[in-house]
């Protein structure tokens, strides 16, 4: 499948998030794309508690390197239902974006999901 919008990416992410835990536990996934924005793979990076999840940027990048990705889209859910990115979300996005630059990849988007909606850093001009 080719990704041409945040909605395309969110559709794929929703297939992998556990819908029973969307409003209960935070999870973080990364979607890996080739130069034509076709999906190479998806990986669950972490799954933690009710209000946070730990993300090791090296794990995000490792999978990207192993599948020869050109682009990465990341996503996590907010069990609270609040779509606004936290300061930690913004900081983590900046760290992943910087790591992508070093590896000659592009961070294309970071989506925040709730059970019925989503927020896109790219759509909002934050990437």
């Amino acid at each position: 499948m080719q990704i041409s919008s945040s909605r395309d990416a969110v559709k794929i992410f929703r297939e992998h998030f556990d819908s029973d835990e969307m409003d209960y536990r935070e999870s973080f996934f990364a979607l890996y794309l080739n130069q034509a924005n076709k999906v190479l793979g998806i990986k669950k990076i972490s799954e933690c508690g009710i209000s946070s999840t730990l993300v090791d940027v090296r794990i995000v990048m490792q999978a990207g390197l192993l599948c020869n990705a050109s682009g990465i889209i990341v996503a996590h859910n907010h069990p609270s239902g609040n779509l606004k990115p936290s300061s930690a979300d913004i900081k983590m996005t900046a760290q992943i974006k910087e790591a992508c630059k070093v590896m000659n990849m592009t961070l294309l988007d970071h989506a925040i999901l709730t059970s019925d909606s989503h927020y896109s850093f790219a759509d909002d001009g934050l990437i």
Side-chain angles (χ1 to χ4, degrees), residues 38-105:
K38 289 190 177 175
V39 176
L40 297 170
I42 187 167
K43 179 172 178 57
K44 181 187 277 185
I45 304 299
S46 67
E47 180 177 79
C48 288
I50 295 167
S51 62
S52 68
T53 189
L54 297 172
V55 176
D56 189 329
V57 175
R58 295 169 294 185
I59 302 298
V60 174
M61 301 312 299
Q62 177 190 42
L65 288 169
L66 290 172
C67 70
N68 296 318
S70 293
I72 298 176
I73 300 173
V74 295
H76 75 286
N77 63 309
H78 276 182
S80 68
N82 180 358
L83 286 171
K84 184 178 180 192
S86 68
S87 59
D89 294 340
I90 293 167
K91 182 180 177 185
M92 176 184 31
T93 303
Q95 290 173 342
I96 295 170
K97 185 176 179 179
E98 189 61 32
C100 283
K101 280 184 191 174
V102 171
M103 298 294 174
N104 202 24
M105 295 180 202

Side-chain angles (χ1 to χ4, degrees), residues 7 10-11 14 17-24 76-84 112-119:
R7 290 184 193 277
V10 166
K11 183 178 178 186
R14 287 198 185 279
F17 273 85
D18 185 338
S19 60
D20 292 335
E21 292 191 355
M22 184 68 79
D23 296 326
Y24 167 68
H76 75 286
N77 63 309
H78 276 182
S80 68
N82 180 358
L83 286 171
K84 184 178 180 192
I112 298 173
L113 283 64
T114 62
S115 55
D116 61 357
S117 192
H118 78 275
Y119 172 88

